[in-house]
C-alpha cells in the first residue's frame, strides 16, 4: 500500500522512524527543536524524543560538523543538520579535511557513522550563498558517501539508509522539492546506497539527472519525439557507473544534466567515465548541461536564466543526434 | 594532593621513556629511516605524563598541538606500533596510513590528531557527548598548543562544551611558540583566560612540573566526571627543541634558549628532585634506563622488520562496504 505525501513529510518520517528504531541516533543542528527546521523537516521530533535526542546547537557549522565527527567515533549515530548545503564551506576543515579522512588515516581503526543533512539547490531566490548544489565539492573528497533525493520515495528510503550506513554520508535534499508530492509505501523500507535507478526505460538516449533537474528532464522527455531512458544516480559518491554504462550500451547516446556548475561539475565526471570506459557504446559525443559558471543570482529572472531549463535540456538532448 | 613514591617513580619512568624514545626517533630520522618530517616533544614530557596519569584508561584523549608522540606514548600505545607508524610500515598503529600526525587507537580511546591544528577540539566535545549519551562517567581530555588557540574552531569547541556542560578538559600546552610566532604577542595574560567568558573553571600552571599538571588535570577531570562541566588548563612549558627537526630556529634568542634548557627541562628537574628526596637511587635509575633502552631498541627493530604496506592497500579503508542496502535490490 502507498499513500501520497510531500518530500519534506517523507524526510520527517525518515528521521522520526530512525530516532524511534535506534537509541544511538541523535539529531542536532540549528533550530531543530520547536522551530522544526527551516523547511519543517524536524517538526514534532523534539516533542516526541526530548532534549537529549533532538538538540538545538549554537550557530556554528564548525561545532555541528566537528562534534558530529567525535560523537560518531565515540559510538553514536548523529544526524547533523546544516540549514543550507552552502554552509559546508563554513565548516570547511571539518567537511573537507576531518570527517572524510579520519577513518582512512586511522587505517580503518576509527569509523564515523554520521549523516550531514544539508538542503541544497537553487530556485527560491535565496541568493549566491544559500542556493548552491554542493555534491561536486563533497564528492571530490574520497571518504564521503554523497546522496541526493529526487522524490519523496527517494528522500525517505535514502535518508534512512544514510543514517544506518557506517560511513560518513552527506545527504542533500533539494529545497525546491520540499512541497512536491509522491507515492511512498505505508510499510517501512530503505533504498540501497551506491546504486543508480533506471526511472524510465527508453531506447534512444540515456539522460542522467537528479533532484529538480530530474523532473525537468522528465518534462523535456515527454515533449520530445524520442524514447528517453532516465537514470537517477541517487548516490554521487561512490558512483554506480555500471547502470549508466548499461543504459548507454542500449541507447548509444548520453546526456547528463545536473545542478552543479558546468566547470568541474559532476556532469563532466559522469560523461568522462562513460567516454573513457565505454567509448564504443556511444554513437556520438555526450552532452553535459549544468548551471552556467556564475554564482546563483537572486532575481528570479536571472536565477532561472543560469539554471538548466526544460528548453535547454530538450535542446541538449536533441543536440546529440 | 599527596603523591606517593611509587606514583612519582612511575611519572619519572614515563618521562624518561618519552625522552629516550624521542632521542632515538631523532637519530633514526637523521639517518634517513623515517620519511616526511618529525616534531619532537622536548620540554613537554611533564605535561604529557601528568595529564595522562590523571586520566582513566576509558577516558578519551583527543591529541592536539604539534607535540604528539609523547602523548601517544603516555596514552599507552606500544612504542613499536608508534615507531612502525613513523616508518610508514604495516605494523604501525595505523598500518602506515597516518604517520606521526594521526596515530589513532580506539581500543585505548586515543582519538587521532587533526593535523590542521585546532580542528580536534570539536570532535573531542563530540566524544564527550557520546559518552554522556551512553550514560558513562568517562571524560574527554583534549590538547592544543598556544598557536591553535587562535583558530575559531577552538573557540567554537568552548561554546559547544559549555552550552551542554559536557565532560571535557581543554589542556592548552603553551610552549610559547607557534613555529616562529611568540605566544607573548597574544592578548590574554594566560591562555586559560579563554575559559572566562564561558564561565569555565580555568587555571594557568607550570607545565614543566609533572606533579602540578597531574594535580590540576585530576581536579578538572573530577569536576567533569561529577557533571560539573568543562575546564580549561593552560600548561606553560618551554619548547626545548626546534618546531620540527631541521628548523634552524633563527627567530629565537640563543641565550634565552640556553637558559630555558638549563632551567625548564621537566625530565632533568624531576630526576634531580626525586634523587634529592631519596625517592629513587642512582642504581634504580640505571636499571630503569636500561629497561627503557631495551624497550626502545625493540621498537626500532620492530619497525625495521615490519613489512612495507602492500601498495594495493592504498585503496582500502576509504569506505566501509557494502554501503547500506547494497545488493538487496530496491
Amino acid at each position: 500500500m502507498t499513500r501520497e505525501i510531500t518530500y519534506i513529510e517523507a524526510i520527517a518520517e525518515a528521521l522520526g522512524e530512525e530516532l524511534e528504531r535506534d537509541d544511538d541516533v541523535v539529531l542536532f543542528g540549528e533550530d531543530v527543536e520547536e522551530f522544526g527546521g527551516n523547511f519543517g523537516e524536524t517538526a514534532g521530533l523534539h516533542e516526541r524524543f526530548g532534549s537529549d535526542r533532538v538538540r538545538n546547537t549554537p550557530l556554528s557549522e564548525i561545532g555541528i560538523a566537528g562534534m558530529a565527527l567525535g560523537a560518531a567515533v565515540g559510538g553514536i549515530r548523529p544526524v547533523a543538520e546544516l540549514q543550507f548545503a552552502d554552509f559546508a564551506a563554513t565548516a570547511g576543515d571539518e567537511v573537507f579535511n576531518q570527517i572524510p579522512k579520519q577513518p582512512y588515516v586511522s587505517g580503518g581503526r576509527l569509523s564515523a557513522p554520521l549523516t550531514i543533512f544539508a538542503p541544497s539547490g537553487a530556485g527560491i531566490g535565496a541568493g549566491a550563498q544559500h542556493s548552491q548544489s554542493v555534491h561536486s565539492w563533497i564528492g571530490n573528497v574520497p571518504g564521503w558517501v554523497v546522496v541526493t533525493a529526487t522524490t519523496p520515495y527517494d528522500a525517505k528510503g535514502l535518508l534512512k539508509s544514510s543514517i544506518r550506513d557506517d560511513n560518513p554520508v552527506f545527504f542533500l535534499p533539494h529545497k525546491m522539492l520540499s512541497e512536491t508530492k509522491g507515492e511512498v509505501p505505508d510499510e517501512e523500507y530503505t533504498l540501497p546506497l551506491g546504486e543508480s535507478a533506471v526511472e524510465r526505460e527508453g531506447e534512444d538516449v540515456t539522460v542522467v539527472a537528479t533532484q529538480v533537474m530530474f523532473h525537468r528532464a522528465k518534462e523535456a522527455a515527454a515533449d520530445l519525439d524520442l524514447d528517453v531512458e532516465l537514470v537517477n544516480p541517487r548516490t554521487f559518491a561512490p558512483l554506480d557507473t555500471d547502470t549508466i554504462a548499461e543504459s548507454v550500451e542500449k541507447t548509444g547516446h548520453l546526456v547528463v544534466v545536473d545542478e552543479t556548475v558546468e566547470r568541474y561539475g559532476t556532469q563532466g565526471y559522469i560523461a568522462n567515465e562513460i567516454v573513457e570506459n565505454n567509448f564504443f557504446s556511444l554513437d556520438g559525443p555526450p552532452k553535459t548541461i549544468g548551471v552556467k559558471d556564475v554564482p546563483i543570482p537572486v532575481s528570479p529572472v536571472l536565477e532561472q536564466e543560469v539554471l538548466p531549463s526544460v528548453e535547454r535540456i530538450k535542446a541538449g538532448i536533441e543536440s546529440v543526434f | 594532593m599527596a603523591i606517593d613514591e611509587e606514583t612519582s617513580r612511575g611519572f619519572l619512568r614515563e618521562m624518561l621513556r618519552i625522552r629516550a624514545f624521542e632521542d632515538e626517533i631523532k637519530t633514526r630520522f637523521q639517518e634517513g629511516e623515517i620519511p616526511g618530517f618529525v616534531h619532537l616533544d622536548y620540554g613537554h614530557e611533564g605535561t604529557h605524563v601528568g595529564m595522562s596519569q590523571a586520566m582513566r584508561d576509558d577516558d578519551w584523549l583527543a591529541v592536539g598541538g604539534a607535540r604528539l608522540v609523547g602523548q601517544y606514548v603516555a596514552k599507552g600505545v606500544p612504542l613499536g606500533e608508534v615507531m612502525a607508524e613513523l616508518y610508514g610500515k604495516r605494523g604501525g598503529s595505523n598500518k602506515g596510513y597516518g604517520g606521526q600526525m594521526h596515530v589513532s587507537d580506539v581500543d585505548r580511546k586515543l582519538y587521532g590528531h587533526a593535523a590542521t591544528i585546532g580542528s580536534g577540539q570539536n570532535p573531542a566535545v563530540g566524544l564527550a557527548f557520546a559518552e554522556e549519551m551512553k550514560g558513562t562517567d568517562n571524560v574527554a581530555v583534549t590538547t592544543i598548543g598556544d598557536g591553535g588557540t587562535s583558530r575559531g574552531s577552538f573557540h567554537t569547541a568552548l561554546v559547544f562544551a559549555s552550552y551542554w556542560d559536557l565532560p571535557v578538559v581543554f589542556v592548552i600546552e603553551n610552549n610559547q611558540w607557534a613555529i616562529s610566532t611568540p605566544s607573548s604577542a597574544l592578548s590574554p595574560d594566560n591562555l586559560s583566560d579563554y575559559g572566562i567568558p564561558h564561565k569555565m573553571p580555568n587555571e594557568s600552571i607550570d607545565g614543566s612540573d609533572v606533579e602540578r599538571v597531574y594535580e590540576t588535570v585530576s581536579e578538572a577531570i573530577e569536576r567533569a566526571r561529577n557533571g560539573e562541566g568543562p575546564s580549561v588548563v593552560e600548561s606553560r612549558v618551554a619548547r626545548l627543541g626546534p618546531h620540527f627537526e631541521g628548523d634552524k630556529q633563527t627567530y629565537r634568542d640563543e641565550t634565552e634558549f640556553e637558559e630555558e634548557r638549563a632551567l625548564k627541562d621537566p625530565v632533568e628537574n624531576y630526576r634531580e628532585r626525586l634523587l634529592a628526596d631519596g625517592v629513587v637511587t642512582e642504581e634504580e635509575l640505571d636499571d630503569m634506563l636500561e629497561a627503557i633502552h631495551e624497550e626502545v631498541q625493540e621498537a626500532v627493530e620492530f619497525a625495521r622488520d615490519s613489512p612495507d604496506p602492500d601498495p594495493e592497500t592504498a585503496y582500502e579503508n576509504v569506505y566501509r562496504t557494502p554501503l547500506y542496502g547494497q545488493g538487496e535490490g530496491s
Side-chain angles (χ1 to χ4, degrees), chain B residues 155-180:
Chain B
H155 297 275
T156 293
L158 297 179
V159 171
F160 275 61
S162 142
Y163 188 75
W164 285 310
D165 236 7
L166 291 168
V168 191
V169 179
F170 296 92
V171 177
I172 303 166
E173 296 188 329
N174 180 359
N175 71 9
Q176 309 164 67
W177 294 100
I179 304 188
S180 67

PDB file of all heavy atoms in Angstrom, chain B residues 155-180:
ATOM      1  N   HIS B 155      37.594  28.054  19.726  1.00  0.00           N
ATOM      2  CA  HIS B 155      36.611  28.837  20.495  1.00  0.00           C
ATOM      3  C   HIS B 155      35.203  28.256  20.352  1.00  0.00           C
ATOM      4  O   HIS B 155      34.423  28.258  21.297  1.00  0.00           O
ATOM      5  CB  HIS B 155      36.682  30.310  20.078  1.00  0.00           C
ATOM      6  CG  HIS B 155      38.020  30.901  20.406  1.00  0.00           C
ATOM      7  ND1 HIS B 155      38.307  31.419  21.636  1.00  0.00           N
ATOM      8  CD2 HIS B 155      39.159  30.960  19.687  1.00  0.00           C
ATOM      9  CE1 HIS B 155      39.577  31.815  21.655  1.00  0.00           C
ATOM     10  NE2 HIS B 155      40.112  31.543  20.492  1.00  0.00           N
ATOM     11  N   THR B 156      34.899  27.764  19.158  1.00  0.00           N
ATOM     12  CA  THR B 156      33.604  27.103  18.956  1.00  0.00           C
ATOM     13  C   THR B 156      33.463  25.900  19.885  1.00  0.00           C
ATOM     14  O   THR B 156      32.400  25.661  20.455  1.00  0.00           O
ATOM     15  CB  THR B 156      33.467  26.645  17.492  1.00  0.00           C
ATOM     16  OG1 THR B 156      33.399  27.809  16.674  1.00  0.00           O
ATOM     17  CG2 THR B 156      32.217  25.819  17.284  1.00  0.00           C
ATOM     18  N   ALA B 157      34.553  25.155  20.042  1.00  0.00           N
ATOM     19  CA  ALA B 157      34.503  23.973  20.914  1.00  0.00           C
ATOM     20  C   ALA B 157      34.187  24.390  22.352  1.00  0.00           C
ATOM     21  O   ALA B 157      33.421  23.720  23.051  1.00  0.00           O
ATOM     22  CB  ALA B 157      35.814  23.201  20.846  1.00  0.00           C
ATOM     23  N   LEU B 158      34.744  25.521  22.791  1.00  0.00           N
ATOM     24  CA  LEU B 158      34.426  26.013  24.137  1.00  0.00           C
ATOM     25  C   LEU B 158      32.937  26.355  24.238  1.00  0.00           C
ATOM     26  O   LEU B 158      32.272  26.033  25.230  1.00  0.00           O
ATOM     27  CB  LEU B 158      35.264  27.255  24.478  1.00  0.00           C
ATOM     28  CG  LEU B 158      36.793  27.095  24.548  1.00  0.00           C
ATOM     29  CD1 LEU B 158      37.448  28.437  24.879  1.00  0.00           C
ATOM     30  CD2 LEU B 158      37.210  26.057  25.574  1.00  0.00           C
ATOM     31  N   VAL B 159      32.418  27.006  23.181  1.00  0.00           N
ATOM     32  CA  VAL B 159      30.994  27.380  23.173  1.00  0.00           C
ATOM     33  C   VAL B 159      30.122  26.130  23.296  1.00  0.00           C
ATOM     34  O   VAL B 159      29.207  26.072  24.126  1.00  0.00           O
ATOM     35  CB  VAL B 159      30.632  28.144  21.868  1.00  0.00           C
ATOM     36  CG1 VAL B 159      29.114  28.329  21.755  1.00  0.00           C
ATOM     37  CG2 VAL B 159      31.331  29.495  21.804  1.00  0.00           C
ATOM     38  N   PHE B 160      30.413  25.113  22.489  1.00  0.00           N
ATOM     39  CA  PHE B 160      29.578  23.906  22.474  1.00  0.00           C
ATOM     40  C   PHE B 160      29.711  23.119  23.791  1.00  0.00           C
ATOM     41  O   PHE B 160      28.721  22.636  24.328  1.00  0.00           O
ATOM     42  CB  PHE B 160      29.915  23.020  21.263  1.00  0.00           C
ATOM     43  CG  PHE B 160      29.177  23.420  20.008  1.00  0.00           C
ATOM     44  CD1 PHE B 160      29.355  24.676  19.448  1.00  0.00           C
ATOM     45  CD2 PHE B 160      28.290  22.545  19.384  1.00  0.00           C
ATOM     46  CE1 PHE B 160      28.669  25.066  18.300  1.00  0.00           C
ATOM     47  CE2 PHE B 160      27.601  22.921  18.235  1.00  0.00           C
ATOM     48  CZ  PHE B 160      27.792  24.173  17.693  1.00  0.00           C
ATOM     49  N   ALA B 161      30.932  22.999  24.289  1.00  0.00           N
ATOM     50  CA  ALA B 161      31.134  22.226  25.526  1.00  0.00           C
ATOM     51  C   ALA B 161      30.388  22.878  26.674  1.00  0.00           C
ATOM     52  O   ALA B 161      29.758  22.213  27.506  1.00  0.00           O
ATOM     53  CB  ALA B 161      32.617  22.118  25.843  1.00  0.00           C
ATOM     54  N   SER B 162      30.431  24.208  26.692  1.00  0.00           N
ATOM     55  CA  SER B 162      29.796  24.933  27.776  1.00  0.00           C
ATOM     56  C   SER B 162      28.272  24.971  27.605  1.00  0.00           C
ATOM     57  O   SER B 162      27.518  24.894  28.576  1.00  0.00           O
ATOM     58  CB  SER B 162      30.445  26.314  27.837  1.00  0.00           C
ATOM     59  OG  SER B 162      29.546  27.289  28.122  1.00  0.00           O
ATOM     60  N   TYR B 163      27.815  25.013  26.379  1.00  0.00           N
ATOM     61  CA  TYR B 163      26.376  25.056  26.081  1.00  0.00           C
ATOM     62  C   TYR B 163      25.661  23.846  26.679  1.00  0.00           C
ATOM     63  O   TYR B 163      24.558  23.950  27.211  1.00  0.00           O
ATOM     64  CB  TYR B 163      26.184  25.103  24.564  1.00  0.00           C
ATOM     65  CG  TYR B 163      24.775  25.344  24.082  1.00  0.00           C
ATOM     66  CD1 TYR B 163      24.203  26.616  24.163  1.00  0.00           C
ATOM     67  CD2 TYR B 163      24.014  24.317  23.524  1.00  0.00           C
ATOM     68  CE1 TYR B 163      22.922  26.854  23.701  1.00  0.00           C
ATOM     69  CE2 TYR B 163      22.737  24.541  23.065  1.00  0.00           C
ATOM     70  CZ  TYR B 163      22.189  25.816  23.153  1.00  0.00           C
ATOM     71  OH  TYR B 163      20.917  26.046  22.701  1.00  0.00           O
ATOM     72  N   TRP B 164      26.319  22.672  26.571  1.00  0.00           N
ATOM     73  CA  TRP B 164      25.707  21.451  27.126  1.00  0.00           C
ATOM     74  C   TRP B 164      26.428  20.950  28.367  1.00  0.00           C
ATOM     75  O   TRP B 164      26.173  19.832  28.818  1.00  0.00           O
ATOM     76  CB  TRP B 164      25.676  20.338  26.078  1.00  0.00           C
ATOM     77  CG  TRP B 164      24.623  20.547  25.049  1.00  0.00           C
ATOM     78  CD1 TRP B 164      23.317  20.837  25.277  1.00  0.00           C
ATOM     79  CD2 TRP B 164      24.783  20.495  23.635  1.00  0.00           C
ATOM     80  NE1 TRP B 164      22.646  20.962  24.089  1.00  0.00           N
ATOM     81  CE2 TRP B 164      23.517  20.756  23.064  1.00  0.00           C
ATOM     82  CE3 TRP B 164      25.856  20.244  22.796  1.00  0.00           C
ATOM     83  CZ2 TRP B 164      23.307  20.772  21.693  1.00  0.00           C
ATOM     84  CZ3 TRP B 164      25.643  20.255  21.434  1.00  0.00           C
ATOM     85  CH2 TRP B 164      24.377  20.525  20.901  1.00  0.00           C
ATOM     86  N   ASP B 165      27.358  21.751  28.886  1.00  0.00           N
ATOM     87  CA  ASP B 165      28.035  21.369  30.118  1.00  0.00           C
ATOM     88  C   ASP B 165      28.676  19.981  30.005  1.00  0.00           C
ATOM     89  O   ASP B 165      28.494  19.123  30.878  1.00  0.00           O
ATOM     90  CB  ASP B 165      27.004  21.336  31.257  1.00  0.00           C
ATOM     91  CG  ASP B 165      27.440  22.238  32.386  1.00  0.00           C
ATOM     92  OD1 ASP B 165      28.443  22.959  32.217  1.00  0.00           O
ATOM     93  OD2 ASP B 165      26.783  22.204  33.437  1.00  0.00           O
ATOM     94  N   LEU B 166      29.407  19.758  28.947  1.00  0.00           N
ATOM     95  CA  LEU B 166      29.921  18.416  28.666  1.00  0.00           C
ATOM     96  C   LEU B 166      31.232  18.149  29.400  1.00  0.00           C
ATOM     97  O   LEU B 166      31.984  19.075  29.714  1.00  0.00           O
ATOM     98  CB  LEU B 166      30.099  18.253  27.150  1.00  0.00           C
ATOM     99  CG  LEU B 166      28.781  18.199  26.372  1.00  0.00           C
ATOM    100  CD1 LEU B 166      29.031  18.329  24.875  1.00  0.00           C
ATOM    101  CD2 LEU B 166      28.007  16.920  26.672  1.00  0.00           C
ATOM    102  N   PRO B 167      31.509  16.871  29.658  1.00  0.00           N
ATOM    103  CA  PRO B 167      32.708  16.500  30.403  1.00  0.00           C
ATOM    104  C   PRO B 167      33.983  16.550  29.555  1.00  0.00           C
ATOM    105  O   PRO B 167      34.476  15.528  29.103  1.00  0.00           O
ATOM    106  CB  PRO B 167      32.408  15.073  30.873  1.00  0.00           C
ATOM    107  CG  PRO B 167      31.480  14.521  29.848  1.00  0.00           C
ATOM    108  CD  PRO B 167      30.663  15.677  29.359  1.00  0.00           C
ATOM    109  N   VAL B 168      34.481  17.755  29.334  1.00  0.00           N
ATOM    110  CA  VAL B 168      35.683  17.945  28.515  1.00  0.00           C
ATOM    111  C   VAL B 168      36.702  18.748  29.310  1.00  0.00           C
ATOM    112  O   VAL B 168      36.343  19.709  29.996  1.00  0.00           O
ATOM    113  CB  VAL B 168      35.378  18.754  27.229  1.00  0.00           C
ATOM    114  CG1 VAL B 168      36.569  18.696  26.268  1.00  0.00           C
ATOM    115  CG2 VAL B 168      34.123  18.267  26.551  1.00  0.00           C
ATOM    116  N   VAL B 169      37.961  18.356  29.206  1.00  0.00           N
ATOM    117  CA  VAL B 169      39.045  19.155  29.782  1.00  0.00           C
ATOM    118  C   VAL B 169      39.924  19.630  28.630  1.00  0.00           C
ATOM    119  O   VAL B 169      40.494  18.813  27.903  1.00  0.00           O
ATOM    120  CB  VAL B 169      39.879  18.340  30.791  1.00  0.00           C
ATOM    121  CG1 VAL B 169      41.010  19.205  31.347  1.00  0.00           C
ATOM    122  CG2 VAL B 169      38.983  17.824  31.926  1.00  0.00           C
ATOM    123  N   PHE B 170      39.972  20.940  28.453  1.00  0.00           N
ATOM    124  CA  PHE B 170      40.815  21.523  27.410  1.00  0.00           C
ATOM    125  C   PHE B 170      42.178  21.835  28.021  1.00  0.00           C
ATOM    126  O   PHE B 170      42.262  22.662  28.935  1.00  0.00           O
ATOM    127  CB  PHE B 170      40.202  22.820  26.885  1.00  0.00           C
ATOM    128  CG  PHE B 170      38.874  22.634  26.198  1.00  0.00           C
ATOM    129  CD1 PHE B 170      37.679  22.736  26.914  1.00  0.00           C
ATOM    130  CD2 PHE B 170      38.802  22.361  24.837  1.00  0.00           C
ATOM    131  CE1 PHE B 170      36.452  22.575  26.281  1.00  0.00           C
ATOM    132  CE2 PHE B 170      37.576  22.189  24.198  1.00  0.00           C
ATOM    133  CZ  PHE B 170      36.397  22.303  24.926  1.00  0.00           C
ATOM    134  N   VAL B 171      43.217  21.179  27.535  1.00  0.00           N
ATOM    135  CA  VAL B 171      44.564  21.452  28.029  1.00  0.00           C
ATOM    136  C   VAL B 171      45.310  22.211  26.938  1.00  0.00           C
ATOM    137  O   VAL B 171      45.480  21.705  25.820  1.00  0.00           O
ATOM    138  CB  VAL B 171      45.313  20.147  28.382  1.00  0.00           C
ATOM    139  CG1 VAL B 171      46.741  20.463  28.824  1.00  0.00           C
ATOM    140  CG2 VAL B 171      44.573  19.380  29.480  1.00  0.00           C
ATOM    141  N   ILE B 172      45.700  23.439  27.257  1.00  0.00           N
ATOM    142  CA  ILE B 172      46.480  24.237  26.297  1.00  0.00           C
ATOM    143  C   ILE B 172      47.942  24.112  26.683  1.00  0.00           C
ATOM    144  O   ILE B 172      48.362  24.596  27.736  1.00  0.00           O
ATOM    145  CB  ILE B 172      46.068  25.722  26.339  1.00  0.00           C
ATOM    146  CG1 ILE B 172      44.567  25.864  26.053  1.00  0.00           C
ATOM    147  CG2 ILE B 172      46.900  26.522  25.329  1.00  0.00           C
ATOM    148  CD1 ILE B 172      44.015  27.241  26.398  1.00  0.00           C
ATOM    149  N   GLU B 173      48.701  23.428  25.863  1.00  0.00           N
ATOM    150  CA  GLU B 173      50.130  23.310  26.131  1.00  0.00           C
ATOM    151  C   GLU B 173      50.829  24.504  25.468  1.00  0.00           C
ATOM    152  O   GLU B 173      51.098  24.489  24.266  1.00  0.00           O
ATOM    153  CB  GLU B 173      50.668  21.981  25.598  1.00  0.00           C
ATOM    154  CG  GLU B 173      50.044  20.793  26.321  1.00  0.00           C
ATOM    155  CD  GLU B 173      50.698  19.471  25.957  1.00  0.00           C
ATOM    156  OE1 GLU B 173      51.175  19.324  24.815  1.00  0.00           O
ATOM    157  OE2 GLU B 173      50.744  18.589  26.813  1.00  0.00           O
ATOM    158  N   ASN B 174      51.047  25.508  26.278  1.00  0.00           N
ATOM    159  CA  ASN B 174      51.646  26.745  25.757  1.00  0.00           C
ATOM    160  C   ASN B 174      53.166  26.638  25.869  1.00  0.00           C
ATOM    161  O   ASN B 174      53.734  26.809  26.941  1.00  0.00           O
ATOM    162  CB  ASN B 174      51.125  27.942  26.555  1.00  0.00           C
ATOM    163  CG  ASN B 174      51.731  29.253  26.055  1.00  0.00           C
ATOM    164  OD1 ASN B 174      52.546  29.269  25.123  1.00  0.00           O
ATOM    165  ND2 ASN B 174      51.332  30.360  26.679  1.00  0.00           N
ATOM    166  N   ASN B 175      53.796  26.348  24.721  1.00  0.00           N
ATOM    167  CA  ASN B 175      55.263  26.272  24.740  1.00  0.00           C
ATOM    168  C   ASN B 175      55.876  27.558  24.194  1.00  0.00           C
ATOM    169  O   ASN B 175      57.038  27.594  23.815  1.00  0.00           O
ATOM    170  CB  ASN B 175      55.778  25.025  24.011  1.00  0.00           C
ATOM    171  CG  ASN B 175      55.601  25.119  22.499  1.00  0.00           C
ATOM    172  OD1 ASN B 175      55.257  26.164  21.943  1.00  0.00           O
ATOM    173  ND2 ASN B 175      55.868  24.016  21.823  1.00  0.00           N
ATOM    174  N   GLN B 176      55.063  28.567  24.091  1.00  0.00           N
ATOM    175  CA  GLN B 176      55.460  29.939  23.759  1.00  0.00           C
ATOM    176  C   GLN B 176      55.709  30.215  22.287  1.00  0.00           C
ATOM    177  O   GLN B 176      55.961  31.353  21.906  1.00  0.00           O
ATOM    178  CB  GLN B 176      56.708  30.374  24.545  1.00  0.00           C
ATOM    179  CG  GLN B 176      56.585  30.127  26.036  1.00  0.00           C
ATOM    180  CD  GLN B 176      57.939  30.187  26.720  1.00  0.00           C
ATOM    181  OE1 GLN B 176      58.547  31.250  26.783  1.00  0.00           O
ATOM    182  NE2 GLN B 176      58.419  29.051  27.183  1.00  0.00           N
ATOM    183  N   TRP B 177      55.635  29.189  21.467  1.00  0.00           N
ATOM    184  CA  TRP B 177      55.927  29.413  20.058  1.00  0.00           C
ATOM    185  C   TRP B 177      54.960  28.678  19.147  1.00  0.00           C
ATOM    186  O   TRP B 177      54.791  27.466  19.277  1.00  0.00           O
ATOM    187  CB  TRP B 177      57.353  28.929  19.704  1.00  0.00           C
ATOM    188  CG  TRP B 177      58.432  29.712  20.366  1.00  0.00           C
ATOM    189  CD1 TRP B 177      59.126  29.352  21.488  1.00  0.00           C
ATOM    190  CD2 TRP B 177      58.938  30.986  19.968  1.00  0.00           C
ATOM    191  NE1 TRP B 177      60.036  30.328  21.805  1.00  0.00           N
ATOM    192  CE2 TRP B 177      59.953  31.343  20.885  1.00  0.00           C
ATOM    193  CE3 TRP B 177      58.646  31.858  18.914  1.00  0.00           C
ATOM    194  CZ2 TRP B 177      60.661  32.542  20.798  1.00  0.00           C
ATOM    195  CZ3 TRP B 177      59.349  33.048  18.815  1.00  0.00           C
ATOM    196  CH2 TRP B 177      60.340  33.382  19.751  1.00  0.00           C
ATOM    197  N   ALA B 178      54.328  29.426  18.219  1.00  0.00           N
ATOM    198  CA  ALA B 178      53.582  28.816  17.128  1.00  0.00           C
ATOM    199  C   ALA B 178      54.547  28.873  15.929  1.00  0.00           C
ATOM    200  O   ALA B 178      54.604  29.876  15.219  1.00  0.00           O
ATOM    201  CB  ALA B 178      52.307  29.592  16.840  1.00  0.00           C
ATOM    202  N   ILE B 179      55.338  27.847  15.767  1.00  0.00           N
ATOM    203  CA  ILE B 179      56.533  27.842  14.917  1.00  0.00           C
ATOM    204  C   ILE B 179      57.413  29.033  15.310  1.00  0.00           C
ATOM    205  O   ILE B 179      58.197  28.914  16.242  1.00  0.00           O
ATOM    206  CB  ILE B 179      56.239  27.796  13.408  1.00  0.00           C
ATOM    207  CG1 ILE B 179      55.356  26.577  13.076  1.00  0.00           C
ATOM    208  CG2 ILE B 179      57.579  27.704  12.639  1.00  0.00           C
ATOM    209  CD1 ILE B 179      55.159  26.324  11.589  1.00  0.00           C
ATOM    210  N   SER B 180      57.241  30.204  14.658  1.00  0.00           N
ATOM    211  CA  SER B 180      58.115  31.334  14.994  1.00  0.00           C
ATOM    212  C   SER B 180      57.352  32.503  15.612  1.00  0.00           C
ATOM    213  O   SER B 180      57.924  33.552  15.881  1.00  0.00           O
ATOM    214  CB  SER B 180      58.850  31.820  13.733  1.00  0.00           C
ATOM    215  OG  SER B 180      57.927  32.372  12.822  1.00  0.00           O
TER     216      SER B 180
END
